[in-house]
Amino acid sequence: MTHYNVVCAVVVIDDRILCMQRPKGMHVSTSLKWEFPGGKIEKDETPEEAICRELQEEMDYEVRPVRRLIKVEYEYPEFSIALDAWLCHADTPEFTLKEHLDSRWVTLANLDYLDWAPADFGIIHYLQQQGPDYLK
């Protein structure tokens, strides 16, 4: 089974968190699901560098990684993932939707209403246990 080391950005602006909907893809377990934006960490790249590169490539979006939140290990039927979540700040909520189907800015309390990829749901559960002040 293929294993991926992935990083994602929990971007918070005005108490709302950026959520992205994945496109239809070959992996049924993640196709059309919601996720935090990010991607694979390349060789010799730090998680912070990967976040900045991925969001720039996929969304023309500039973010500043602030701190690591949690690392989630998850085994999908088709692959396994180590998902490293980082709190990120940005100067604007505006970006270009290039690869994702949709985006939403959602409060921590309302994240449950989206159909999340299972690994990302582990991050949501953790964040909700910590409370909104944890994302300041």
Side-chain angles (χ1 to χ4, degrees):
M1 179 179 291
T2 304
H3 179 78
Y4 298 107
N5 289 311
V6 178
V7 68
C8 69
V10 178
V11 183
V12 181
I13 296 179
D14 296 330
D15 294 325
R16 299 206 181 272
I17 301 167
L18 179 59
C19 309
M20 306 295 290
Q21 187 179 28
R22 294 178 59 85
K24 188 172 178 71
M26 64 180 188
H27 299 300
V28 174
S29 54
T30 58
S31 183
L32 304 175
K33 301 287 186 182
W34 288 84
E35 68 176 1
F36 297 107
K40 295 178 194 125
I41 301 171
E42 294 181 356
K43 187 177 176 2
D44 298 326
E45 189 175 46
T46 68
E48 298 95 324
E49 291 169 339
I51 288 170
C52 293
R53 177 187 51 77
E54 284 285 346
L55 272 67
Q56 188 63 49
E57 289 174 2
E58 293 183 359
M59 305 162 57
D60 287 330
Y61 198 39
E62 190 172 312
V63 298
R64 292 178 308 284
V66 176
R67 64 182 159 88
R68 175 179 277 126
L69 297 170
I70 185 175
K71 191 170 196 173
V72 174
E73 301 275 343
Y74 193 84
E75 193 168 305
Y76 289 98
E78 310 93 344
F79 60 94
S80 64
I81 185 174
L83 181 57
D84 197 4
W86 284 72
L87 175 65
C88 293
H89 290 163
D91 292 330
T92 176
E94 303 299 320
F95 55 86
T96 304
L97 201 62
K98 290 173 146 183
E99 297 185 15
H100 291 88
L101 289 181
D102 198 3
S103 67
R104 293 189 188 160
W105 289 94
V106 180
T107 63
L108 182 60
N110 290 323
L111 290 176
D112 289 350
Y113 295 108
L114 299 175
D115 185 16
W116 288 90
D120 290 80
F121 188 73
I123 297 166
I124 292 165
H125 181 70
Y126 174 78
L127 295 177
Q128 288 175 336
Q129 285 180 326
Q130 304 306 311
D133 288 342
Y134 186 65
L135 295 174
K136 302 261 183 217

